[in-house]
C-alpha cells in the first residue's frame, strides 16, 4: 500500500471524465487535522504530507475520502485553480475510463499536468461542524 491519503475527486469536466488522462499527476496536499485515503486502500496521505499519484492509463479509477482526525471535521475539498472536487464535501472519484476515444481529453492524460486535491479540516473546538441540513428548521416568514 502506498502512503497516500483518501481523496474524493470531484468533476472538473464532468467528474469522472476529467481524470481519464494518462501521464498527468494528482497532487494530494493534506493539512493538519486528518488524512486522505482511497477507498480501496491503495493510497494514504497523512496530515502534513504532499503525495503525488501518477495517472498513466485509462484504467485509473480511485475514490478518495478525507478522514478527519479526532477533534476535527472535514468541511470540503478546497477550490483552487487546477483543483479536483473543489467545494464538494463528498468522496472524490477520479476515473480515466471515459476519456477513451476523446483525443483532446486523452492528451491531458499524456501530459505532465498536475491537478490538486486538498481537503479542508476544521478544528471542532473553534468551530463546530455544520448542522445536518435535513434537521435544520427555518422559522416561517414574519416569525
Amino acid at each position: 500500500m502506498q502512503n497516500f491519503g483518501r481523496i474524493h475527486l470531484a468533476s472538473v469536466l464532468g467528474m469522472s471524465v476529467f481524470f481519464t488522462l494518462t501521464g498527468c499527476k494528482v497532487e494530494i496536499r493534506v493539512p493538519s487535522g486528518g488524512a486522505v485515503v482511497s477507498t480501496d486502500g491503495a493510497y494514504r496521505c497523512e496530515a502534513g504530507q504532499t503525495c503525488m499519484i501518477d495517472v498513466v492509463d485509462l484504467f485509473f479509477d480511485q475514490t478518495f475520502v478525507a478522514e478527519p482526525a479526532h477533534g476535527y471535521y472535514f468541511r470540503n475539498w478546497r477550490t483552487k485553480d487546477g483543483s479536483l472536487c473543489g467545494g464538494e464535501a463528498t468522496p472524490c472519484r477520479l476515473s480515466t475510463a471515459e476519456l477513451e476515444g476523446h483525443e483532446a481529453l486523452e492528451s491531458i492524460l499524456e501530459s505532465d499536468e498536475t491537478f490538486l486535491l486538498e481537503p479542508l479540516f476544521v478544528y471542532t473546538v473553534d468551530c463546530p461542524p455544520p448542522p445536518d441540513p435535513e434537521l435544520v428548521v427555518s422559522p416561517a416568514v414574519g416569525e
Side-chain angles (χ1 to χ4, degrees):
M1 176 166 94
Q2 293 183 358
N3 189 24
F4 291 106
R6 181 176 180 178
I7 301 174
H8 296 282
L9 298 176
S11 81
V12 171
L13 295 177
M15 291 217 147
S16 63
V17 173
F18 181 75
F19 289 100
T20 310
L21 308 173
T22 55
C24 62
K25 297 182 184 340
V26 174
E27 178 178 329
I28 302 169
R29 294 182 195 160
V30 184
S32 61
V36 174
V37 298
S38 61
T39 56
D40 70 356
Y43 302 100
R44 181 172 189 83
C45 195
E46 298 290 342
Q49 291 184 325
T50 297
C51 304
M52 298 295 288
I53 299 173
D54 291 319
V55 180
V56 297
D57 58 34
L58 295 171
F59 301 105
F60 187 86
D61 190 355
Q62 292 288 333
T63 299
F64 295 93
V65 177
E67 292 184 339
H70 180 74
Y72 289 82
Y73 74 93
F74 169 62
R75 178 173 285 164
N76 58 263
W77 298 106
R78 289 191 184 265
T79 302
K80 297 180 180 180
D81 287 343
S83 67
L84 302 169
C85 302
E88 299 291 324
T90 57
C92 185
R93 181 173 181 219
L94 300 178
S95 174
T96 57
E98 296 173 10
L99 297 181
E100 187 171 14
H102 300 280
E103 290 182 30
L105 296 176
E106 285 185 20
S107 68
I108 295 171
L109 183 60
E110 297 167 357
S111 74
D112 62 353
E113 200 163 345
T114 299
F115 300 95
L116 178 65
L117 184 61
E118 183 177 5
L120 174 59
F121 296 111
V122 177
Y123 189 56
T124 58
V125 171
D126 296 334
C127 183
D132 183 342
E134 299 290 326
L135 302 177
V136 174
V137 178
S138 299
V141 175
E143 287 189 318

